[in-house]
């Protein structure tokens, strides 16, 4: 939100440095994210002075150029080559001197330098109004008043507006501060706490009076719940024209483009008082009647942006007897707004139900300055005051007469909030005793009325526009932010309670694995659980029927909850690839979301991603691409850390993988891993292989080993034996591993694969595994007879279960 310092000074007569004001506002909770300058003319005409053309002759080398000598006062007489057709001797002109910076129509700067044009020296530039930012004309140079003294700065000739703009990061709860008046109220409270007492000055509306009653517009409020207050007045014989310069500069300073005097006044009052207004062309109101009602389901309406919309019965609309004129609190209609031909207007000021406006704005994806305020809650008590203020301004700027009584539909006043505040609770939450007179002063400065005072506390009335202050703790927060968090002393000791946490709790185990992955070179990512439904088409594994859809999505790209961890991870990889970061090792803990019949599930996952090179490119290390077995190694290291060993491998059937495996414990899927399909990668613009593993975290926690098995260091030596096995191509090492441990449970300590061979020397469809076995007896040294017997048993088991042959 942009706030003008000049505008603030209309409410609060202060002259503090802008930086100090920014610090006060930030301390009050209105965080100033930036302070910058605004100038009605960029550069402020610095270096541009009044000059008098003493001589003007034709350029000897160019038909369309003139040679002039210009008196710049104390700047002396300088030669300037000018291309304007209207330059003449005796004129007073605006001259940009050497070193002056001007700006083109795109805002790009260019500096005036001494130079030669077609062989003649030129020491400056005689300017047209568009070159100075004073207008659009480029037909010729500006000719100034002949009485102006030579050398006078043009910044003193023309009215140049300078302002300081505060960029405030407003929190959603501070609906009361969405205007210059609201910010001024807070600033006054902050200044009072610092010893400076300034009163808020609000514009008078005593000039308002009804001149005739020739343009009566009746109002019927059909839905009193959604429109608790509705005010209006008619103004006839207005003249729509551009706004005066001061109003245009006020709006431009806060980033609003001026349109015409009527619309600009409504925008001005909106940012002045925080009350949205809307002006209707009164001659377009059929039946001379305004009806505030709910739309009919499916009713058609074209909004001011030219979009045809189909309305919902939940929408509140402002209508005449025939048609909708405005989507209440959100956006006006294309058939009723103020145009250049408008001569009579009906001016509206209202309070609408914030929840209803928020739903309507979200339903159509519309966000306007009006909806931004209505959906957070405006001050219902200011509706009539803002209307009168706007009507007076319109009369001054657009002429016309007030041609009706003020309509004020307000059947049930919105009550202020009653709060009882105890001193004990203030002291407990703040952490120190704030003097009671300071508390009273702060409450008074915030407009909170003190009704009663007792020994234990105070009875308070909080204005209804402070929708965020309804409880005693809210009042304490208000007291503390004005008192100043920096003024609360830090205690010399801190008390804390110790919480017992089970080491096998989810978050503890998660932190252990996260630390392990980080130590192995992974980076943790945290992606949005909201995603687009388009990803459902990339894999048949994702079921549209299980989609969890948001009722009011911010956009179609964030309309559903994710059913897979893969796609958000691929978004991250694509983002990094586009910034030349191709070597990636990433992991994410997160949930997926599924609708199963009438219930919802949120299983937790651990996702791993590998892509690019294993190591950074260096002169002494060969470039090596990441591969499936590296990812599998990281995954098995995780399971080893968790003590999970009893799982089986099988080829994956998941459609997201080009090829891969699934690890199972019984019928439960523990994890799936493999290389992501190229068709999926193409959708994200990823041109390198991506290896992905999806761990079902809840299954992993269920089978987590919660006991540490202690064994003494063996006293007797271990023995290694190797077998070269000829196997079918589809036999995995995991099958060999499981058969070995099932056959020999006592002496066999380790099984490992140290060589794989496939080639012309083997029969077709066969491969050779070189497998190592470590044998050990914890009670005695193994004999050759025991070793040979064990190896014979293992070989026999391999031959029987997988058809293995011993390769010589």
């Amino acid at each position: 939100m942009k706030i003008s310092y000049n505008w603030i000074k209309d409410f609060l007569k202060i002259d503090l440095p802008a930086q100090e004001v920014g610090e006060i506002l930030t301390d009050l909770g209105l965080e100033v994210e930036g302070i910058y300058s605004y100038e009605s003319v960029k550069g402020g005409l610095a270096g541009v002075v009044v000059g008098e053309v003493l001589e003007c002759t034709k350029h000897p080398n160019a038909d369309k150029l003139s040679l002039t000598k210009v008196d710049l006062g104390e700047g002396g007489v300088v030669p300037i080559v000018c291309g304007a057709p209207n330059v003449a001797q005796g004129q007073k002109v605006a001259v940009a001197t050497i070193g002056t910076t001007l700006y083109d129509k795109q805002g790009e700067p260019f500096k005036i330098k001494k130079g030669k044009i077609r062989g003649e020296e030129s020491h400056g530039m005689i300017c047209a109004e568009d070159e100075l930012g004073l207008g659009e004309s480029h037909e010729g140079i500006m000719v100034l008043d002949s009485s102006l003294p030579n050398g006078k700065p043009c910044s003193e000739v023309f009215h140049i507006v300078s302002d300081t703009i505060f960029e405030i990061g407003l929190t959603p709860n501070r609906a009361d501060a969405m205007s210059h008046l609201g910010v001024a109220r807070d600033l006054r409270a902050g200044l009072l706490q610092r010893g400076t007492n300034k009163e808020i000055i609000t514009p008078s509306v005593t000039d308002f009076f009804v001149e005739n009653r020739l343009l009566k517009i009746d109002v019927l409020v059909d839905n009193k719940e959604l429109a608790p207050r509705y005010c209006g007045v008619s103004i006839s014989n207005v003249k729509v024209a551009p706004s005066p310069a001061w109003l245009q500069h006020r709006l431009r300073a806060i980033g609003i483009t001026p349109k015409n005097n009527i619309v600009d006044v409504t925008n001005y009052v909106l940012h002045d008082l925080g009350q949205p207004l809307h002006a209707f062309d009164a001659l377009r109101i059929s039946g001379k009647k305004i009806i505030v009602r709910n739309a009919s389901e499916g009713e058609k309406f074209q909004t001011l942006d030219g979009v045809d919309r189909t309305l919902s019965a939940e929408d509140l609309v402002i209508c005449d007897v025939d048609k909708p004129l405005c989507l209440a609190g959100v956006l006006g209609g294309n058939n009723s707004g103020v145009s250049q031909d408008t001569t009579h207007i009906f001016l509206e000021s209202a309070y609408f139900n914030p929840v209803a406006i928020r739903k309507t704005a979200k339903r159509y994806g519309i966000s306007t300055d009006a909806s931004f305020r209505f959906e957070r809650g405006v001050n219902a008590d200011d509706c009539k005051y803002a209307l009168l203020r706007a009507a007076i301004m319109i009369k001054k700027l657009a002429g016309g007469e007030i041609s009706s009584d003020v309509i004020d539909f307000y059947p049930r006043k919105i009550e202020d909030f009653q709060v009882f505040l105890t001193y004990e609770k203030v002291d407990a939450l703040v952490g120190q005793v704030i003097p009671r007179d300071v508390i009273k002063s702060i409450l008074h400065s915030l407009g909170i009325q003190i009704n009663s005072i007792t020994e234990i506390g105070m009875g308070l009335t909080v204005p209804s526009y402070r929708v965020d202050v309804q409880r005693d703790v809210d009042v304490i927060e208000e007291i503390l932010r004005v008192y100043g968090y920096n003024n609360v002393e830090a205690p010399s000791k801190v008390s804390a309670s110790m919480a017992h946490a089970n080491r096998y709790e989810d978050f503890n185990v998660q932190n252990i694995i996260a630390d392990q992955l980080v130590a192995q070179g992974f980076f943790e990512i945290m992606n949005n659980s909201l995603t687009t439904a388009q990803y459902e088409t990339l894999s048949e594994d994702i079921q549209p029927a299980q989609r969890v859809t948001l009722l009011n999505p911010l956009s179609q790209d964030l309309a559903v909850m994710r059913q897979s961890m893969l796609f958000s991870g691929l978004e991250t990889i694509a983002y990094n690839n586009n910034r030349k970061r191709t070597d990636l090792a990433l992991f994410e803990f997160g949930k997926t979301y599924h609708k199963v019949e009438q219930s919802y599930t949120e299983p937790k996952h651990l996702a791993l991603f590998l892509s690019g090179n294993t190591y950074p490119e260096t002169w002494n290390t060969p470039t090596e691409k990441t591969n499936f077995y590296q990812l599998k190694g990281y995954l098995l290291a995780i399971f080893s850390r968790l003590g999970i060993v009893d799982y089986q491998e099988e080829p994956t059937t998941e459609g997201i993988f080009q090829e891969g495996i699934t690890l199972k414990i019984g019928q439960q899927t523990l994890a799936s891993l493999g290389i992501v399909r190229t068709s999926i990668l193409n959708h994200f613009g990823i041109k390198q292989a991506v290896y992905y593993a999806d761990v079902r975290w809840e299954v992993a926690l269920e089978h987590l080993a919660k006991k540490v098995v202690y064994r003494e260091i063996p006293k007797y030596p271990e023995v290694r034996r190797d077998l070269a096995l000829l196997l079918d191509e589809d036999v995995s090492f995991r099958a060999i591993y499981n058969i070995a441990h099932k056959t020999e449970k006592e002496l066999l300590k380790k099984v490992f694969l140290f060589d794989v061979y496939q080639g012309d020397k083997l029969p077709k469809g066969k491969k050779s595994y070189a497998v190592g076995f470590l044998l050990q007896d914890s009670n005695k040294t193994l004999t050759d007879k025991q070793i040979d017997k064990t190896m014979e048993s293992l070989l026999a088991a391999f031959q029987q279960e997988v058809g293995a042959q011993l390769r010589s």
Side-chain angles (χ1 to χ4, degrees), residues 615-648:
Y615 306 107
E617 187 176 1
T618 61
W619 67 273
N620 63 348
T621 304
T623 301
E624 180 183 345
K625 296 289 185 183
T626 54
N627 57 59
F628 169 81
Y629 296 102
Q630 287 176 339
L631 180 64
K632 183 179 179 182
Y634 290 127
L635 194 61
L636 298 187
I638 291 172
F639 295 148
S640 176
R641 185 71 179 271
L642 298 177
I644 301 173
V645 294
D646 296 328
Y647 52 83
Q648 296 79 40

Side-chain angles (χ1 to χ4, degrees), residues 303-524:
T303 45
L304 197 59
D305 54 6
V307 177
D308 292 314
R309 303 184 188 276
T310 302
L311 302 182
S312 163
E314 295 182 12
D315 298 326
L316 187 70
V317 288
I318 313 300
C319 307
D320 59 19
V321 296
D322 295 329
K323 61 190 178 299
L325 303 174
C326 179
L327 200 54
V330 180
L331 193 61
N334 220 9
N335 59 353
S336 63
V338 172
S339 67
Q340 289 300 117
D341 300 325
T342 297
T343 56
H344 300 64
I345 65 170
F346 177 76
L347 192 61
E348 164 196 280
S349 177
Y351 174 88
F352 299 119
N353 181 280
V355 175
I357 301 303
R358 189 181 311 126
K359 287 182 177 180
T360 296
K362 294 294 183 185
R363 186 176 296 118
Y364 303 108
I366 303 173
S367 179
T368 61
D369 283 340
S371 67
F372 180 81
R373 286 158 177 80
F374 276 128
E375 65 190 34
R376 287 161 175 80
V378 299
N379 185 3
D381 291 339
D382 271 355
C383 286
K384 184 176 180 180
Y385 172 74
L387 182 75
L388 301 182
R389 173 114 165 87
I392 292 170
M393 288 185 67
I394 289 173
K395 271 198 62 179
K396 289 180 179 179
L397 302 182
E401 303 95 31
I402 306 297
S403 298
S404 75
D405 292 316
V406 173
I407 299 164
D408 187 5
F409 175 84
Y410 197 17
R412 188 173 68 236
K413 186 180 186 302
I414 296 176
E415 297 296 332
D416 297 332
F417 307 112
Q418 303 299 319
V419 176
F420 187 79
L421 181 69
T422 63
Y423 298 130
E424 181 182 7
K425 194 162 188 178
V426 175
D427 299 340
L429 288 183
V430 174
Q432 70 182 50
V433 176
I434 298 178
R436 305 318 182 205
D437 59 335
V438 173
I439 292 177
K440 296 174 187 175
S441 174
I442 290 173
L443 293 174
H444 175 73
S445 70
L446 292 170
I448 298 176
Q449 181 180 335
I450 301 174
N451 300 322
S452 61
I453 301 177
T454 67
E455 292 184 358
I456 63 171
M458 295 180 286
L460 308 173
T461 297
V462 181
S464 60
Y465 65 82
R466 288 307 308 268
V467 292
D468 59 323
V469 183
Q470 300 184 25
R471 306 167 299 166
D472 55 353
V473 289
D474 299 327
V475 176
I476 295 170
E477 181 184 5
E478 290 296 292
I479 294 170
L480 186 53
R481 73 180 181 86
V482 177
Y483 179 72
Y485 292 99
N486 295 335
N487 294 325
V488 178
E489 298 177 0
S492 57
K493 63 178 182 179
V494 178
S495 300
S497 58
M498 300 297 292
H500 172 72
N502 187 332
R503 63 177 299 185
Y504 301 111
E505 290 287 341
D506 183 354
F507 69 92
N508 279 330
V509 179
Q510 178 176 318
N511 286 340
I512 290 171
I513 299 305
D515 288 343
Q516 177 174 318
L517 289 168
V518 169
Q520 292 172 324
F522 279 77
F523 286 91
E524 184 171 12

Side-chain angles (χ1 to χ4, degrees), residues 205-212 233-241 243-244 246-247 261-266 269 279 343 345 347 386-404 406:
V205 293
T206 56
D207 291 346
F208 179 88
F209 67 96
V210 178
E211 296 167 87
N212 59 65
V233 69
S234 300
I235 308 174
S236 60
N237 299 320
V238 297
K239 183 178 181 181
V240 178
S243 297
W246 72 266
L247 179 52
N261 46 11
I262 305 296
V263 175
D264 291 351
V265 165
T266 62
V269 174
T343 56
I345 65 170
L347 192 61
L387 182 75
L388 301 182
R389 173 114 165 87
I392 292 170
M393 288 185 67
I394 289 173
K395 271 198 62 179
K396 289 180 179 179
L397 302 182
E401 303 95 31
I402 306 297
S403 298
S404 75
V406 173

